[in-house]
């Protein structure tokens, strides 16, 4: 086994590789940019090497700097993680020439299968069913429109070297191709250093199912079952699971054997993933592409097979034969992974950049009817940078079946608390509870179908409403008792302590009566009904109220506000006011504050960099027309006019940095 390797990556995947290396006794070197100088990966590694400024094009994508770091430290091989140089065949060839080990597939396999165009040609030559499309290079936007018309709308515009949801647009007409083609080229160049584009037919009602393969340098190759990755937003996976709710043993075997055949055709010798689009109606499937690297979602495969894929990559790269046979691969239970992103689901999932003032993930281990695993590369106090992918962590749960894994996932999400930036946890939790998702009847259009207007939160169930009312009453009564300076008299509260309150939850008034006893116990009557029994160890300063309500465990997040508290549970977010009956009556008579009119303003929805300003003063702009492009976290976001008008003022230009809610353009 290697004695020392270099990890040419950052964040969560660097930490993930370090953990396996520690278990195997392999020393690690981590390279880092300015933005990652104080990161968890840098802290955990045995050695570190600084490689330059924060933009990836000046650090993690610079081959000379990576190789210099290898020479400085005496590392024997490089693990590229995912993204950056992980699928760069030229880099793999260079390492081979320079006598540096490569913990990934051979350069020929990357060339043949990692490239989206050549892999489709190879699959077609091998008799594998592929999605109709144009696999040759595309000259310009006009050519892209011509090709799209020939294929037939809708089409998918895709970066040949793409991955991780970057460099992908779906277009339903000529105008969307004209806008999407240059945007995809720009994203491909910025993220992968390769602007080649291809176009293929976008299959309606598809399911995204991928097969994990593992090969060695001795001609052996196996598949480790499938992953269902259909829950996607903007072509980036949000929730993955293994196995798939769609596949039966026969279809699984067919897909696996086809994936292995493709891998063997290029002597594949590492961990890799063959992706298919499958039909939910007849379980037919078409080859999409092969990712010649470790996938972000690899933990769900590890959880159901018991195979450490990072360890296998190390052993194979060192020249060892696979000790695992196809007959050894079983399916043990069910695993679900969600990607916790720094983005605001209530504002169309726009990136959220800043410092993690609080980062309290759920504890690993048992929860509900399952088990929790957390893969992350951040800690409380770390900065979420605009320069890299917005993923904060991956939450993985495992259970004996799908329902058990999903129940555990929901419970774990309840206990995942982040402050300082916005996160997509409320959205993930809403999906995990949603009826259609629970049924397993999903497609890659699921999010668009179920949340057509974006995510605005979910309405509380009766059980959630009771939970939030009781939580608000308990917190407020606790604060009131402490203010009366009798908090140490838990067993005999003073008679002067108020017991009757009104909890205003959203726009509904709920009279409550609460008796707080000793050791965090309380009896709470809501709307004159049967008393609820609440037990908790919560103390002031904690922003997670966790305990047992009527015999069932629960966890609710809350934050103090100028007036009342903000409570969150799953996809529900509600402000709660706790008042005396008199004040509650007065509150109900207050007029609502009118909303500010921003229809004549184009406001930056996120902090980022202005890539282009596409209008000029005096120009008439139609509602929905593109005004400018703002780049954040490697994604180019087209900002459109919210109303028709004439441009009166332009406050920013290409190359300027903008803050969230900054006014960029004003209309007359």
């Amino acid at each position: 086994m290697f004695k020392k390797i270099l990890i040419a990556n950052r964040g969560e995947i660097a930490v993930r590789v370090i953990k396996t290396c520690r278990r195997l006794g392999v020393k690690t070197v981590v390279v880092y940019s300015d933005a990652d100088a104080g990161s968890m990966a840098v802290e955990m590694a045995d050695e570190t090497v600084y490689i330059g400024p924060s933009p990836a094009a000046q650090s993690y994508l610079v081959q000379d700097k990576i190789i210099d770091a290898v020479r400085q430290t005496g590392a024997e091989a490089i693990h590229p993680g995912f993204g950056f140089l992980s699928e760069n065949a030229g880099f793999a060839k260079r390492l081979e020439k320079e006598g540096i080990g490569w913990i990934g597939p051979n350069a020929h396999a990357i060339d043949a299968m990692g490239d989206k165009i050549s892999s489709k040609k190879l699959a077609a030559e091998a008799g594998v069913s592929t999605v109709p499309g144009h696999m040759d290079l595309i000259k310009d936007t006009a050519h892209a429109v011509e090709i799209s018309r020939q294929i037939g709308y809708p089409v998918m515009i895709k970066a040949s070297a793409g991955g991780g949801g970057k460099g992908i647009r779906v277009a339903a007409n000529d105008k969307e191709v004209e806008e999407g083609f240059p945007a995809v080229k720009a994203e491909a160049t910025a993220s992968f250093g390769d602007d080649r584009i291809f176009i293929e037919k976008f299959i309606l009602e598809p399911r995204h199912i991928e097969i994990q393969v593992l090969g060695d340098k001795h001609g052996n190759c196996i598949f480790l079952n499938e992953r269902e990755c259909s829950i996607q937003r903007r072509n980036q996976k949000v929730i993955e699971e293994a196995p798939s709710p769609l596949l039966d043993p026969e279809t699984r075997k067919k897909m696996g054997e086809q994936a292995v055949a493709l891998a063997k055709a290029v002597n594949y010798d590492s961990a890799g993933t063959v992706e298919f689009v499958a039909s939910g109606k007849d379980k037919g499937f078409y080859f999409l592409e092969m990712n010649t690297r470790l996938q972000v979602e690899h933990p769900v495969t590890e959880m159901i097979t018991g195979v450490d894929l990072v360890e296998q990559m190390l052993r194979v790269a060192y020249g060892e034969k696979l000790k695992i046979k196809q007959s050894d691969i079983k399916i043990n239970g069910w695993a679900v992974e969600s990607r916790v992103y720094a983005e605001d689901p209530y504002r169309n999932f726009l990136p959220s950049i800043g410092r993690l003032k609080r980062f309290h993930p759920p504890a690993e281990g048992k929860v509900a009817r399952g088990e929790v695993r957390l893969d992350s590369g951040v800690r409380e106090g770390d900065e979420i940078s605009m320069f890299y992918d917005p993923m904060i962590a991956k939450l993985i749960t495992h259970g004996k079946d799908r329902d058990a894994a999903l129940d555990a996932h929901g419970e774990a999400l309840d206990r995942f608390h982040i402050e300082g930036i916005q996160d997509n946890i409320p959205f993930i939790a809403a999906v995990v509870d949603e009826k259609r998702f629970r049924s397993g009847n999903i497609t890659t259009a699921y999010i668009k179908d179920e949340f057509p207007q974006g995510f605005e939160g979910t309405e509380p169930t009766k059980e959630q409403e009771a939970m939030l009312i009781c939580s608000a009453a308990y917190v407020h009564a606790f604060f009131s008792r402490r203010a009366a300076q009798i908090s140490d008299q838990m067993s005999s509260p003073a008679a002067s302590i108020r017991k009757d309150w009104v909890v205003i939850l959203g726009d509904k008034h709920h009279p409550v009566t609460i008796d707080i006893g000793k050791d965090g116990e309380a009896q709470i009557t809501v709307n004159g009904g049967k008393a609820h029994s609440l037990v908790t160890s919560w103390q002031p300063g904690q922003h997670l109220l966790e305990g047992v309500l009527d015999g069932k465990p629960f966890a609710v997040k809350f934050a103090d506000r100028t007036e009342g508290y903000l409570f969150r549970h799953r996809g529900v977010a509600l402000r709660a006011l706790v008042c005396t009956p008199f004040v509650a009556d007065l509150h109900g008579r207050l007029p609502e504050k009118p909303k500010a009119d921003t229809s004549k303003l184009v406001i930056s929805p996120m902090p980022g960099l202005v890539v282009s300003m596409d209008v000029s003063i005096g120009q008439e702009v139609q509602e929905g027309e593109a005004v400018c492009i703002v780049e954040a976290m490697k994604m180019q976001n087209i900002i459109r006019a919210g109303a028709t008008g004439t441009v009166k003022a332009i406050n920013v230009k290409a190359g300027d940095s903008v803050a969230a809610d900054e006014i960029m353009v004003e209309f007359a």
Side-chain angles (χ1 to χ4, degrees):
M1 177 53 68
F2 298 112
K3 292 182 174 60
K4 183 193 292 187
I5 70 163
L6 182 141
I7 303 167
N9 218 297
R10 62 175 299 279
E12 171 268 321
I13 187 57
V15 170
R16 166 70 187 90
V17 174
I18 290 171
K19 288 179 178 178
T20 287
C21 286
R22 281 183 172 180
R23 181 171 59 80
L24 298 176
V26 178
K27 298 292 185 182
T28 53
V29 181
V30 163
V31 293
Y32 66 93
S33 69
D34 286 333
D36 291 327
S39 68
M40 183 189 294
V42 167
E43 182 180 283
M44 291 178 65
D46 296 295
E47 297 177 57
T48 60
V49 178
Y50 170 71
I51 55 170
S54 300
Q58 300 174 45
S59 51
Y60 295 104
L61 288 171
V62 182
Q63 297 182 22
D64 288 345
K65 292 183 177 181
I66 304 298
I67 291 174
D68 286 346
V70 171
R71 300 301 186 205
Q72 289 176 40
T73 59
E76 301 164 77
I78 290 176
H79 194 303
F82 40 70
F84 297 141
L85 296 170
S86 63
E87 293 181 285
N88 189 310
F91 185 52
K93 291 174 184 176
R94 182 175 174 184
L95 294 181
E96 184 178 0
K97 288 180 181 179
E98 301 202 21
I100 300 171
W102 172 247
I103 305 170
N106 62 79
H108 167 68
I110 298 175
D111 260 336
M113 299 298 288
D115 183 279
K116 308 304 184 286
I117 294 175
S118 64
S119 66
K120 286 180 180 292
K121 288 182 177 179
L122 184 89
E125 290 169 3
V128 178
S129 177
T130 59
V131 178
H134 183 86
M135 295 300 106
D136 292 321
L137 298 183
I138 300 164
K139 292 178 285 188
D140 51 30
T141 301
H143 189 203
V145 170
E146 179 185 344
I147 290 166
S148 299
R149 290 174 178 172
Q150 291 172 358
I151 295 172
Y153 291 110
V155 297
M156 181 177 286
I157 309 166
K158 204 165 188 179
S160 179
K166 304 296 188 300
I168 298 175
R169 290 287 195 284
V170 174
N173 51 53
D174 290 356
K175 183 179 179 181
E176 290 183 5
V177 174
E178 290 167 355
E179 291 181 352
F181 182 76
V184 170
K185 284 184 75 72
E187 286 179 10
T189 302
S191 296
F192 314 110
D194 184 341
D195 70 350
R196 293 175 299 159
I197 305 298
F198 69 95
I199 298 176
E200 65 185 11
K201 180 73 175 178
F202 181 69
I203 305 298
L204 297 174
E205 298 185 8
R207 292 179 76 132
H208 185 124
I209 296 177
E210 57 190 35
I211 301 290
Q212 176 71 58
V213 297
L214 182 62
D216 64 18
K217 298 181 185 301
H218 305 278
N220 302 303
C221 188
I222 61 173
F223 70 93
L224 289 83
N225 303 314
E226 81 281 1
R227 296 184 288 259
E228 171 92 48
C229 305
S230 297
I231 305 301
Q232 303 178 6
R233 188 188 57 77
R234 296 175 185 165
N235 304 299
Q236 188 157 2
K237 299 162 189 172
V238 178
I239 298 175
E240 303 101 346
E241 56 186 306
S244 165
L246 175 68
L247 299 194
D248 53 41
E250 182 182 357
T251 307
R252 177 177 297 115
K253 185 172 183 289
K254 287 180 181 178
M255 292 180 78
E257 289 175 347
Q258 189 173 108
V260 167
L262 283 168
K264 283 187 172 182
V266 290
N267 299 316
Y268 200 84
D269 53 353
S270 187
T273 298
V274 180
E275 300 193 346
F276 295 92
V277 59
S279 167
K281 294 181 179 179
D282 59 10
K283 299 181 183 177
F285 54 88
Y286 302 90
F287 171 73
L288 280 178
E289 62 190 33
M290 184 173 188
N291 289 313
T292 54
R293 53 169 167 81
L294 190 68
Q295 290 280 89
V296 174
E297 58 272 18
H298 74 273
V300 291
T301 295
E302 294 181 328
M303 296 295 275
I304 66 164
T305 63
V307 176
D308 184 327
L309 289 169
V310 173
E311 176 184 347
Q312 294 304 315
M313 291 180 75
L314 289 166
R315 293 191 181 282
V316 166
Y318 193 67
E320 295 182 18
K321 286 185 178 181
L322 282 180
K323 295 180 180 178
I324 310 167
K325 297 179 181 179
Q326 191 63 60
S327 58
D328 297 327
I329 302 301
K330 309 297 181 184
I331 297 179
N332 174 28
W334 211 283
V336 177
E337 173 183 299
S338 62
R339 304 188 188 189
V340 178
Y341 285 121
E343 59 187 16
D344 189 346
Y346 299 97
R347 299 182 66 186
N348 199 28
F349 299 92
L350 292 171
S352 180
I353 299 167
R355 191 167 299 280
L356 289 167
K357 294 180 181 177
R358 295 182 190 273
F359 181 70
H360 296 167
E364 293 189 302
K366 297 293 182 183
V367 66
R369 296 187 294 147
E371 183 179 356
V372 171
R373 166 178 165 179
L374 185 84
D375 284 14
S376 181
V378 299
R379 303 147 303 184
E380 190 166 282
D382 284 349
E383 187 89 12
I384 302 300
S385 167
M386 67 178 286
F387 296 103
Y388 310 117
D389 188 272
M391 189 169 67
I392 302 170
K394 299 184 309 198
L395 178 67
I396 308 103
T397 54
H398 180 264
K400 68 177 183 178
D401 53 33
R402 189 169 187 263
D403 282 341
L406 289 173
D407 288 346
H409 213 84
E411 293 286 342
L413 289 167
D414 290 344
R415 290 157 178 80
F416 205 139
H417 181 56
I418 296 173
E419 286 185 22
I421 60 170
Q422 299 301 316
D423 60 73
N424 66 335
I425 290 174
F427 174 71
I428 297 170
V431 172
V432 167
D433 275 353
E434 197 272 328
K435 184 178 179 180
R436 178 182 163 195
F437 175 75
R438 281 281 184 158
S439 74
N441 179 26
I442 53 179
T443 71
T444 54
Y446 167 85
I447 290 177
K448 186 177 180 180
D449 290 345
E450 298 302 321
F451 303 92
Q453 305 303 317
F455 181 70
E456 298 176 352
T458 58
E459 291 296 317
T461 63
K462 289 184 178 180
E463 185 178 19
Q464 284 177 311
E465 189 173 68
M467 182 193 308
L468 297 177
I469 293 169
C470 290
S471 297
Y474 182 85
V475 168
H476 194 79
F478 192 103
F479 281 137
S480 297
R481 187 179 62 176
R482 188 178 66 164
Q485 298 182 342
I486 59 168
S487 59
D488 59 334
Q489 303 297 321
M490 298 291 284
S491 59
S492 55
S496 60
I497 299 302
R498 175 177 287 277
K499 296 183 179 181
D500 60 318
W501 299 93
V502 176
V503 176
I504 304 175
L505 199 63
D507 58 356
K508 297 179 181 178
H509 290 222
H510 302 276
V512 302
T513 302
I514 179 168
D515 282 300
I516 297 183
K518 61 181 181 179
D519 300 325
E521 298 177 358
Q523 295 293 312
I524 307 169
T525 300
V526 180
N527 298 324
K530 183 180 178 181
H532 296 279
S533 173
L534 186 149
V535 180
T536 180
S537 59
W538 175 85
Q539 292 293 322
Q542 298 175 349
H543 290 262
L544 182 69
L545 180 66
E546 189 172 1
V548 177
L549 181 66
D550 297 335
K552 295 182 180 179
F554 78 100
V556 173
K557 303 167 195 172
F558 79 96
D560 294 324
R561 289 293 182 259
T562 303
E563 188 180 19
Y565 316 95
L566 178 65
F567 280 87
R568 295 184 184 275
H569 183 263
R570 304 289 167 99
V572 176
L574 287 175
R575 189 182 69 162
L577 294 174
V578 186
C579 315
T580 65
F582 176 72
V583 172
D585 181 60
L586 293 177
H587 190 275
R589 304 181 188 184
L590 292 174
E592 288 190 16
K593 183 179 178 180
K595 294 183 179 179
D597 181 12
T598 60
S599 60
K600 294 186 177 182
L601 304 175
V602 176
I603 298 172
S604 177
M606 77 210 84
L609 184 73
V610 179
V611 175
S612 67
M613 178 57 65
D614 302 321
V615 296
S616 56
I617 293 177
Q619 178 179 338
E620 185 174 332
V621 178
Q622 300 299 313
E623 179 181 354
E625 187 174 340
V627 173
C628 61
I629 296 176
V630 176
E631 182 179 289
M633 292 179 171
K634 300 193 293 184
M635 292 291 287
Q636 296 211 349
N637 302 275
I638 299 172
I639 311 301
R640 303 181 185 277
T644 298
T646 302
V647 178
K648 181 176 80 172
I650 299 175
N651 302 324
V652 296
K653 62 183 182 303
D656 287 351
S657 294
V658 290
D661 299 323
E662 182 173 339
I663 298 173
M664 298 187 292
V665 178
E666 301 175 46
F667 293 151

